[in-house]
Amino acid sequence: MKLPKIYEAKEYEENIYALWEKSGVFTADPHSKKERFSISMPPPNETGTLHLGHALFVTLQDVMSRHARGQGKDVLWLPGTDHAAIATNALIEKQLATEGTNKHEIGRDDFLKRTKEFVGNSRDTINTQIRAMGASVDWSRSRYTLDDTLNRCVNEVFVKMYNDGLIYRGHRIVNWDPNLETNVSDDEVDYKEELGKFYTFQYGPFQIGTARPETKFGDKYVVMHPDDKRYAQYNHGDTFVAEWINGPITATIIKDESVDPSFGTGVMTITPWHSQIDFEIAERHGLDKEQIIDFHGKLLPIAKEFAGMDIAEARPKIVAKLKSLGLLVTENGEYMHSIATNSRGKGVIEPQIRLQWFIDVNKPVMDWKGKRCSMKQVMQAVVNDGDIKIIPKNYEKVYFNWTNNLRDWCISRQIWWGHRVPVWYRTNGDGEVETFVGVEMPTDTSEGWHEWEQDPDTLDTWFSSSLWTWSTLIDQDLAKDPTLSLQDLFDRSIDYKTYHPTTVLETGWDILQFWVARMILATTYVTGEVPFKDVYLHGLVRTENGRKMSKSDPETIIDPIEVIGEYGTDALRLALVQGTSAGTDQRLGKSKILANRNFCNKIWNIARYVEDVVGDDLDREGTKAISAADHWILHKLAAAQQKISDDITQYRFSEAYETLYHFIWDDFADWYIEASKVEPNISLLAYVLENVLLIAHPFAPFLTETIWQTLAWENDSVLAGKQLRTILRSDSKEAAAFQEVQAIVTEIRFITSAMKVSGVSLHYSDAPFIWEHNQIIQRLARLKEVSEAESQNNDGLYLTSSKQRCWLDIDTATAQNYLRELQAKEGRQIAVIKQLEGRLGNESYVKNAPKEVVEQTKQQLQEAQDLLSTLEVETQRFTITPTEVTGP
RNA sequence: GGGUGAUUAGCUCAGUUGGCUAGAGCAUCUCGUUUACACCGAGAGGGUCGGGGGUUCGAGUCCCUCAUCACCCACCA
C-alpha cells in the first residue's frame, strides 16, 4: 500500500479507536491466568471538558497500561466520572439565577431532576474526549460516583463508621459559603490578599483592633495573654461595663495564651460564632457563643438598627456610629488581610457554627497489623511501612505533614447534589426525636410518631471519591441484593478480588491531601487493605512562561482538543511525556508539540520506506542478522526495549521516551536504514520495524496502530493487543565492528565538513576491515571511492578514530589546516589521560572503588593512550615535514 | 510563622544507589536534494552544573551555609 508522505493524524485516529474498542483488547479478564495490572482512573468531573491536566494523566496511565499489556499482563484501567457536588451545584444555581429563580423556589426534587438532565449529556463530552486521547480504558467497567452500587457503598461505609463511633454529629465552626448556603472543607478555602481597613476602638479601658466591626455587636469578652505585663492589674474573670455600639455592655476579662501580645494592643474581643480561633477560646473557657450574621450573610436582630443589612452595607454605618459615640480611636486604610473564599463557588466564606457530621480521625478503633490504631495512625503507618510508596519520595514529607495536622473531617454539606446522608429522623407529639442510621430508609411506622425524614445534608464529594478504588470493583448485580452484607460483596465480587489493591494511583500532587490521603483513610478502614501500592504524582502543566493556565486568561490556555486536531493526539502525548518527571511541573508550548509531531512523521516515513522495500510479501523464515549493521541494530533494539521497560516500570517516563526517541531516530533511521541501503536484509528490516512499533506503541498508539494496520504482510491483528517480543540474539563482536564503521564515518564527515571538501576518496593499505566495509563507508561518508593503495605515503589525511591504516586524499595544503583540529584533540586527550592516570595513581581509589569501575578506568586510559599516540603520529607528520607540503 | 522544592547550554528540561571527558529537544551557525522523510540529512558552536565551605580516592549528585525564585500549609483579633 502506498502511504502519503505526511502523517495526517486526524484521518486515522477515530477509526483506530473504534477498531480497538471493537477488538476488545482493553477489556480486562479476571478469569485469565495472567499477572494483573490495575489502575483506577481519577474520575473527571462529569460536567468538565478535557484540559491538559486530563491529557497528562490519560497519557501517563495509558503508557503504563499499554506497556503492561505488552508485557503480557491482564490490565484493568477503570474509567469513570465524578459528580463534582459543589461545582455542579453551583453551576445549576447560576443557571437558575439567570432564569430569575432559585433552588428554594423549585424545590429539592426538581432541582435534582434538572441537575441529572444537565449532567446526563455532558458526561458524553468528557468520555469522548478521553477516547480522543487514546485512553485504553475498559469502558465496560466505567463507573460514576452516583451509581447505585457506589451509592450503596457510601451508605455502607457511613453506617459502619457510625456504628464504630467514628462518625459523630456536633456543633462546630465551619467555612460557610452564604452564596451556595453550604459549608466547604478547609482544603477548599482559597485565601486572597486584599487591602482593607483596620480599626481600633475604645472598649471600656481597652483598645481593641478589628477589620470586621460588623461582628462586634455581641462581643462581651476581652482576651489577653496571661503574661502581658501591661494588663497585669486585670484578672481573669473580672468584669467591667463598656459603652458599645448599641449601648452599655458588661464584659468579662479572659486570659488566654493564644493571644499574641505583640499584635496591636495585645487585647482583643472575641466573636466565637464567626471565628475558628475565637470558637476555640470560647470552648476552652466555657464562654457563651452568639450568632451575629445569618446564613444568608445578613445581620441578625442583635444588630438592632442594622439588622437585615448585608455586611458590605452595614460596615461603614457601624463605623460611623462608633465614631459618633467617640469610640473610634484610629482607622488604618492600608491593612493587608486575606479574604477566605470558596474555591468552587467563589463566595466569601463566613465562619459559622453549624450542626455537622464529622469523622473522628483520632479514635483508635481499627485493627491494623495487630495493633489498635486510629485512622490517622494507619494513614501514617502504611506509608512508613512501605505498603504504599509515594513517587517522588519527597512528597511523603508533605503527606506526613498533612496527616500530622489532620483534624476531624467534616463530611456534611448543605447542598443538594450528591450522596445524601443516610440518617433519618422522626418526631412524636412530645417533641422527642428518634434517629435512624442505615443503608436503607427505615420502613417501620409506630403509633404517635411522624414519618421518617432524611437528613437534608449531602456528603462531601471526597467521601465517595475516597472509596473509588474498590467501590468501582463491587459487582453491580450483587450490590442490588440488600440481604448481602458489605463483606459478602467483597467476598463475592470477582473484580474486587482480582484487581484490588490497584497497582498504582497516578494523579497530580495538588490532590495528594484531598483525594490520595482520604482514599488511604477510608479504604484501609473498610477493606483492611491499601487502595494502591504506588502513588505516582505528576506535576502541573503550565504555560510556556511557567504560569498557570487560567480561564480568566484564555490566551494562555492550550486546548488539547485543538492540539489534537492540528497536530494529532500522539504529538500531544509525546510532548507531555517528554521532560516530565514526578512531582515537577512542566511547561508546554507549541514548539514542543511541533517537535513531537515531527517525530511522529519520522516514524511514519520510516514505515513508508520499509514497506516500500519489503513489498507485500514478507518471508519471515530465516530472519537473522547477516551484516555487522544487522547485529548492531539488534543489539541496540534489545537494549532499548529493556531500558524502556525498566524505565516505565519505575515511572521514569521521560527517560523511557528519550531512549525510544534516540533509538528510532538516530540508531534505526539515521544509521541502520542508511546502512541497509547498501546491505539490505529485508526480513530483518521488517522485523526491526515491527518491534519499533511494539515498543513505541504505549507512547504513540494511534500512529503505530495506523502503520500496523497498513502492513500488508501482517495478518488481521491489533497492535494494541500484541506482546513485546524477545529480540533475536546478536553477535557482540559484529555489533562492535559496526561501531567502528560509525567512528570512521563520523570522523570522515567531521573532516570533510570542517575542511569544506567534497568528493574525496579514502585509501587504505593492509586494512582488511576497511576492505570489508568499503561500500558502507563510502556511502555513509559520501566518499567518491574507497580503494586500496599500493603503499602508504605521506600525502593525505590519516584517520585517527581507527587503528586501520587509511587516509583521505585531501591535498596537503588543505590537510595542513586540519592540524589545528588535531592539536585540539590532542590537548583534550592529554587532559583526559592525566585525569585517568591521577585516578589510577591514587591508591585508595584502586583499593576502595568497585573493581569493575577500576577496570573501566584502566580500559578508558588504554583507549585514550592509543588515540593519543595515533594523534601524535599525525600531528608530527605535519609538523616535521612542513617543507614538503609547500610543493610546486 | 511552619514546611517543601528549584537554581545545569540562549530557552525548556533530563541526569537513578556519588564513578561524567555533564546530555537532550528547541533555537543559532555552516554545508547538503541522496532508493523514506525539508515535518529531512551531515557537521559545528555553546556549560568553572546559583555563590561559598565541607565529607570522599572521586561531588551536578551527599552535608552545612548564603543568595534568588517558586509552591504548599497555618494565620493576621
Side-chain angles (χ1 to χ4, degrees):
Chain A
M1 183 195 283
K2 261 295 179 224
L3 298 173
K5 271 187 173 186
I6 301 285
Y7 171 62
E8 293 290 355
K10 59 174 177 286
E11 290 181 19
Y12 309 99
E13 290 182 352
E14 233 173 88
N15 290 338
I16 290 291
Y17 199 92
L19 174 76
W20 288 329
E21 276 202 89
K22 207 177 107 207
S23 73
V25 287
F26 301 159
T27 311
D29 177 12
H31 301 288
S32 84
K33 294 266 185 324
K34 295 173 175 177
E35 197 184 325
R36 312 296 173 179
F37 182 88
S38 58
I39 303 187
S40 300
M41 185 167 87
N45 291 356
E46 57 183 335
T47 57
T49 51
L50 192 80
H51 57 63
L52 280 175
H54 299 126
L56 178 62
F57 83 59
V58 167
T59 300
L60 295 179
Q61 290 169 34
D62 197 46
V63 167
M64 290 190 265
S65 299
R66 289 181 189 266
H67 176 253
R69 270 182 221 108
Q71 287 181 313
K73 293 179 185 167
D74 169 45
V75 173
L76 170 61
W77 181 15
L78 188 143
T81 44
D82 187 88
H83 65 283
I86 292 185
T88 309
N89 209 95
L91 214 94
I92 300 296
E93 288 204 39
K94 212 167 150 189
Q95 284 183 2
L96 293 174
T98 58
E99 293 165 21
T101 179
N102 64 53
K103 65 174 178 181
H104 300 294
E105 274 180 30
I106 69 168
R108 189 164 188 145
D109 289 343
D110 279 354
F111 182 89
L112 291 180
K113 205 176 132 199
R114 184 187 174 119
T115 309
K116 269 179 201 158
E117 276 167 17
F118 174 77
V119 301
N121 306 325
S122 52
R123 214 177 304 155
D124 294 342
T125 309
I126 189 75
N127 284 341
T128 304
Q129 292 176 330
I130 283 169
R131 281 182 171 85
M133 280 304 299
S136 60
V137 296
D138 185 346
W139 289 109
S140 72
R141 288 178 166 82
S142 183
R143 293 290 183 271
Y144 171 46
T145 44
L146 288 177
D147 281 347
D148 290 345
T149 308
L150 273 69
N151 191 50
R152 170 159 182 197
C153 291
V154 164
N155 288 355
E156 293 277 2
V157 171
F158 187 98
V159 172
K160 182 174 159 71
M161 284 180 167
Y162 182 84
N163 291 337
D164 277 345
L166 285 173
I167 283 185
Y168 65 92
R169 203 176 186 208
H171 287 278
R172 290 298 141 92
I173 284 267
V174 296
N175 304 299
W176 184 258
D177 178 347
N179 287 355
L180 282 178
E181 294 179 39
T182 182
N183 73 312
V184 295
S185 74
D186 292 346
D187 303 302
E188 283 165 328
V189 175
D190 279 345
Y191 290 93
K192 61 176 184 201
E193 295 267 282
E194 212 173 88
L195 214 52
K197 288 186 177 169
F198 188 79
Y199 309 93
T200 309
F201 298 115
Q202 193 68 42
Y203 188 79
F206 304 104
Q207 294 188 346
I208 54 136
T210 184
R212 303 205 51 195
E214 69 277 6
T215 63
K216 296 285 147 197
F217 291 100
D219 287 11
K220 53 182 183 180
Y221 302 101
V222 277
V223 191
M224 60 207 69
H225 197 278
D227 300 336
D228 195 330
K229 295 203 180 71
R230 289 171 294 181
Y231 308 111
Q233 76 265 35
Y234 300 101
N235 294 315
H236 182 84
D238 286 356
T239 59
F240 61 92
V241 174
E243 195 58 37
W244 199 227
I245 311 171
N246 293 325
I249 199 162
T250 302
T252 309
I253 288 168
I254 302 295
K255 302 262 180 168
D256 192 280
E257 295 191 345
S258 67
V259 178
D260 177 5
S262 64
F263 186 92
T265 58
V267 181
M268 64 181 196
T269 61
I270 56 169
T271 315
W273 199 282
H274 299 292
S275 152
Q276 176 74 35
I277 292 283
D278 294 1
F279 178 85
E280 282 167 17
I281 293 170
E283 286 281 284
R284 271 197 289 279
H285 302 284
L287 310 178
D288 299 339
K289 309 178 190 91
E290 197 167 3
Q291 186 172 12
I292 314 294
I293 300 162
D294 74 9
F295 297 117
H296 306 289
K298 294 194 172 16
L299 287 164
L300 287 163
I302 188 174
K304 297 213 169 127
E305 64 195 87
F306 304 102
M309 282 188 199
D310 273 341
I311 290 163
E313 185 195 353
R315 189 179 292 174
K317 291 182 178 166
I318 294 162
V319 173
K321 180 162 187 194
L322 281 161
K323 194 174 180 183
S324 72
L325 292 170
L327 296 173
L328 178 63
V329 183
T330 58
E331 182 180 324
N332 176 0
E334 307 227 327
Y335 177 67
M336 192 60 92
H337 60 152
S338 49
I339 310 283
T341 58
N342 177 0
S343 61
R344 307 285 170 163
K346 298 297 167 203
V348 174
I349 297 295
E350 181 66 62
Q352 293 274 14
I353 294 177
R354 298 278 306 205
L355 191 54
Q356 301 287 343
W357 292 97
F358 291 86
I359 294 181
D360 187 333
V361 295
N362 289 307
K363 195 169 185 175
V365 297
M366 288 176 65
D367 285 318
W368 189 261
K369 294 187 178 174
K371 273 193 356 208
R372 200 112 182 113
C373 295
S374 67
M375 290 179 142
K376 195 191 249 186
Q377 287 167 327
V378 175
M379 288 172 85
Q380 298 184 330
V382 291
V383 175
N384 266 326
D385 300 348
D387 298 324
I388 293 177
K389 207 168 80 186
I390 297 178
I391 298 134
K393 200 168 169 36
N394 54 284
Y395 272 91
E396 287 184 4
K397 284 184 193 168
V398 177
Y399 175 83
F400 285 127
N401 191 34
W402 186 78
T403 48
N404 280 335
N405 297 323
L406 188 61
R407 289 190 290 195
D408 286 358
W409 174 13
C410 178
I411 51 169
S412 46
R413 297 291 181 272
Q414 286 67 50
I415 54 175
W416 288 347
W417 182 238
H419 298 96
R420 200 157 170 183
V421 171
V423 178
W424 287 263
Y425 312 96
R426 66 175 175 183
T427 52
N428 64 8
D430 302 332
E432 289 174 280
V433 181
E434 200 180 337
T435 303
F436 175 85
V437 178
V439 176
E440 299 286 336
M441 180 177 172
T443 47
D444 67 305
T445 48
S446 297
E447 191 95 3
W449 289 87
H450 294 107
E451 294 274 295
W452 288 102
E453 270 184 51
Q454 190 166 8
D455 193 299
D457 287 359
T458 51
L459 292 166
D460 183 4
T461 314
W462 298 108
F463 187 85
S464 64
S465 309
S466 71
L467 319 177
W468 184 250
T469 58
W470 58 266
S471 58
T472 50
L473 297 174
I474 296 297
D475 189 294
Q476 290 181 297
D477 292 326
L478 295 175
K480 286 177 190 147
D481 183 348
T483 64
L484 295 175
S485 69
L486 184 59
Q487 192 56 49
D488 290 336
L489 295 180
F490 283 137
D491 293 341
R492 296 203 206 165
S493 296
I494 181 162
D495 280 359
Y496 173 78
K497 305 288 282 179
T498 310
Y499 299 108
H500 203 266
T502 57
T503 312
V504 55
L505 176 78
E506 196 287 328
T507 190
W509 55 256
D510 51 326
I511 53 170
L512 178 65
Q513 299 117 307
F514 288 108
W515 193 40
V516 182
R518 281 171 181 155
M519 277 198 281
I520 294 172
L521 178 153
T523 305
T524 51
Y525 166 73
V526 182
T527 69
E529 57 186 27
V530 293
F532 30 71
K533 292 165 200 151
D534 290 346
V535 177
Y536 177 88
L537 300 168
H538 62 242
L540 306 179
V541 184
R542 293 174 177 277
T543 68
E544 219 156 3
N545 305 318
R547 280 201 294 269
K548 264 189 179 174
M549 293 185 190
S550 83
K551 280 182 192 161
S552 56
D553 198 1
E555 294 291 301
T556 63
I557 294 183
I558 293 183
D559 177 3
I561 295 300
E562 245 173 62
V563 172
I564 287 171
E566 196 174 348
Y567 301 99
T569 302
D570 293 330
L572 173 63
R573 290 169 58 115
L574 293 170
L576 285 167
V577 170
Q578 187 179 47
T580 187
S581 68
T584 310
D585 294 352
Q586 64 166 315
R587 300 178 185 197
L588 184 73
K590 283 275 158 78
S591 68
K592 204 170 165 188
I593 296 165
L594 198 71
N596 286 288
R597 191 273 318 259
N598 293 354
F599 179 55
C600 290
N601 199 53
K602 186 72 188 179
I603 297 177
W604 180 252
N605 275 289
I606 288 170
R608 279 181 68 216
Y609 174 77
V610 175
E611 293 202 72
D612 194 36
V613 171
V614 173
D616 288 351
D617 297 307
L618 172 66
D619 182 13
R620 288 175 194 278
E621 286 296 309
T623 299
K624 64 170 187 208
I626 299 164
S627 69
D630 293 345
H631 285 281
W632 174 81
I633 196 66
L634 286 178
H635 171 77
K636 283 280 181 179
L637 173 62
Q641 190 190 67
Q642 184 62 48
K643 182 160 181 350
I644 290 165
S645 263
D646 290 349
D647 281 341
I648 293 176
T649 310
Q650 288 167 73
Y651 310 109
R652 296 189 298 243
F653 303 107
S654 171
E655 286 180 62
Y657 177 49
E658 201 172 305
T659 302
L660 179 77
Y661 185 96
H662 288 113
F663 172 72
I664 292 178
W665 205 314
D666 300 349
D667 296 339
F668 188 40
D670 289 345
W671 284 105
Y672 183 72
I673 289 184
E674 291 308 315
S676 82
K677 287 174 183 173
V678 178
E679 295 172 318
N681 180 342
I682 287 171
S683 58
L684 195 72
L685 198 57
Y687 175 83
V688 177
L689 174 66
E690 286 181 343
N691 282 290
V692 160
L693 296 176
L694 282 164
I695 58 175
H697 181 73
F699 298 91
F702 287 109
L703 168 70
T704 50
E705 186 73 71
T706 304
I707 295 170
W708 186 264
Q709 294 304 324
T710 63
L711 294 179
W713 66 82
E714 247 308 311
N715 298 327
D716 279 349
S717 70
V718 176
L719 181 64
K722 288 270 170 191
Q723 286 185 31
L724 294 167
R725 301 174 184 172
T726 308
I727 303 304
L728 291 171
R729 305 192 69 150
S730 55
D731 183 277
S732 57
K733 270 204 187 113
E734 289 286 332
F738 188 73
Q739 283 178 330
E740 187 164 357
V741 170
Q742 287 182 304
I744 291 167
V745 169
T746 304
E747 188 182 9
I748 297 170
R749 284 170 175 173
F750 175 74
I751 293 169
T752 53
S753 171
M755 296 299 100
K756 299 196 195 307
V757 291
S758 59
V760 293
S761 298
L762 182 73
H763 303 299
Y764 59 92
S765 162
D766 191 23
F769 184 86
I770 303 289
W771 173 79
E772 196 183 331
H773 299 287
N774 74 81
Q775 283 186 32
I776 220 161
I777 292 169
Q778 186 190 336
R779 183 184 167 93
L780 297 186
R782 308 228 162 271
L783 295 167
K784 197 166 87 189
E785 62 167 345
V786 178
S787 63
E788 183 153 22
E790 293 193 358
S791 64
Q792 296 179 25
N793 60 33
N794 253 348
D795 291 334
L797 194 53
Y798 280 79
L799 299 187
T800 57
S801 57
S802 162
K803 284 173 195 151
Q804 306 295 325
R805 289 306 284 165
C806 57
W807 61 95
L808 292 169
D809 67 340
I810 288 172
D811 72 89
T812 321
T814 309
Q816 189 71 20
N817 290 328
Y818 191 63
L819 183 59
R820 249 181 321 154
E821 300 287 347
L822 286 174
Q823 283 168 336
K825 274 190 182 177
E826 207 178 294
R828 280 197 294 267
Q829 282 308 305
I830 289 168
V832 168
I833 288 167
K834 212 168 145 191
Q835 199 189 358
L836 292 170
E837 279 177 346
R839 203 183 291 176
L840 286 166
N842 186 327
E843 263 180 51
S844 36
Y845 171 71
V846 180
K847 216 172 73 192
N848 297 330
K851 223 175 186 162
E852 63 270 21
V853 174
V854 178
E855 268 319 300
Q856 198 190 338
T857 311
K858 281 184 185 164
Q859 207 187 326
Q860 281 171 349
L861 179 62
Q862 186 59 49
E863 281 166 15
Q865 280 168 339
D866 287 352
L867 181 52
L868 180 64
S869 56
T870 324
L871 286 167
E872 275 169 354
V873 171
E874 280 307 287
T875 45
Q876 270 193 1
R877 216 165 48 83
F878 285 111
T879 330
I880 292 169
T881 59
T883 46
E884 286 177 34
V885 301
T886 46

